[in-house]
Amino acid sequence: MYAGEQTLIMQRIVRDSLYAACIFFLGVSAAWADDGTEGICMMVRHGIRLHVDGMYGGYPHSVLRDAVLQGVACPSDEAERHVFGLIADPPPHLRISVTRPMGQGQQGAISARLFSQGHFVIGERMSLSPLARSQSPFSVTSEINLLMARLWSDLAERISHGGRAIP
C-alpha cells in the first residue's frame, strides 16, 4: 500500500468518526418541540436553538431537517467559542433555510441566520453546488458545514477587529 493511499484511508476514518460523533451528540440533544426548534451545540453553554426552513425537491421536511442536523458545525476554535460566549445567554436562535426547487438543473441556495436576544447577529448565504442540485438532501451536509464554518469564522473575525457581537 502506498503512503498516499494510507493517508486517504486515515482521512476517511477520521471524517467518518467525526460524522458518527456529531450524529450521536445531535441525537441525544434535547428537542424544542414547542416551537419547532431543536437544541444543537449543547457542549457550548446552553447550546443553540435551530430551526430548519425550506424545501428540497419533493423530499419530506423531516429528511431535510435530518440532513441539516448532520451538516451543522458548532463553534470550534478558541476565538469562535469566545464569541459564542458573548451571545450565549439566552441561547441564540439559528435559522437555516435550504431551497432546491423540483426538477433537474434547478438552482438552489442555503442560508444561515443567527439571532441573539431578539437581534440579528450575522448571516451567510451560498448557492448549492451542481452535485447538491441533483442529489438527495444529504448531499448538502458538507455545504451546510462549510456555510456554518464561515459564519463562525466571520463572527470571530468581526469581534477581533473591535466589532460588536450583537450589532
Side-chain angles (χ1 to χ4, degrees):
M1 198 181 280
Y2 296 105
E5 290 175 344
Q6 289 176 334
T7 302
L8 286 174
I9 291 171
M10 289 305 296
Q11 287 174 342
R12 286 181 183 161
I13 290 171
V14 168
R15 183 192 66 219
D16 292 345
S17 297
L18 286 173
Y19 284 145
C22 287
I23 290 169
F24 172 76
F25 284 113
L26 289 173
V28 299
S29 63
W32 299 66
D34 57 330
D35 60 0
T37 62
E38 300 193 40
I40 60 169
C41 302
M42 296 307 232
M43 60 292 269
V44 181
R45 294 236 180 160
H46 300 293
I48 301 170
R49 293 178 17 214
L50 172 69
H51 183 84
V52 178
D53 287 326
M55 48 83 72
Y56 195 94
Y59 288 89
H61 189 266
S62 60
V63 174
L64 176 60
R65 187 188 73 243
D66 291 345
V68 169
L69 284 170
Q70 282 188 8
V72 170
C74 298
S76 58
D77 68 19
E78 187 176 329
E80 292 171 0
R81 287 190 304 270
H82 168 71
V83 169
F84 182 76
L86 298 174
I87 63 169
D89 287 320
H93 184 94
L94 176 66
R95 184 173 291 271
I96 295 181
S97 297
V98 180
T99 304
R100 195 205 100 202
M102 291 180 68
Q104 287 289 14
Q106 295 292 319
Q107 296 293 320
I110 305 170
S111 68
R113 297 173 312 244
L114 183 65
F115 299 89
S116 180
Q117 301 171 13
H119 300 281
F120 175 77
V121 176
I122 193 167
E124 295 284 335
R125 180 177 170 81
M126 65 186 262
S127 296
L128 292 176
S129 70
L131 174 67
R133 288 182 280 192
S134 63
Q135 302 293 320
S136 79
F138 288 95
S139 63
V140 300
T141 56
S142 62
E143 294 180 18
I144 291 167
N145 191 276
L146 174 63
L147 182 78
M148 291 302 303
R150 286 181 184 167
L151 182 134
W152 295 121
S153 175
D154 289 351
L155 184 57
E157 185 72 19
R158 182 171 79 195
I159 298 302
S160 73
H161 287 99
R164 294 176 32 195
I166 302 174

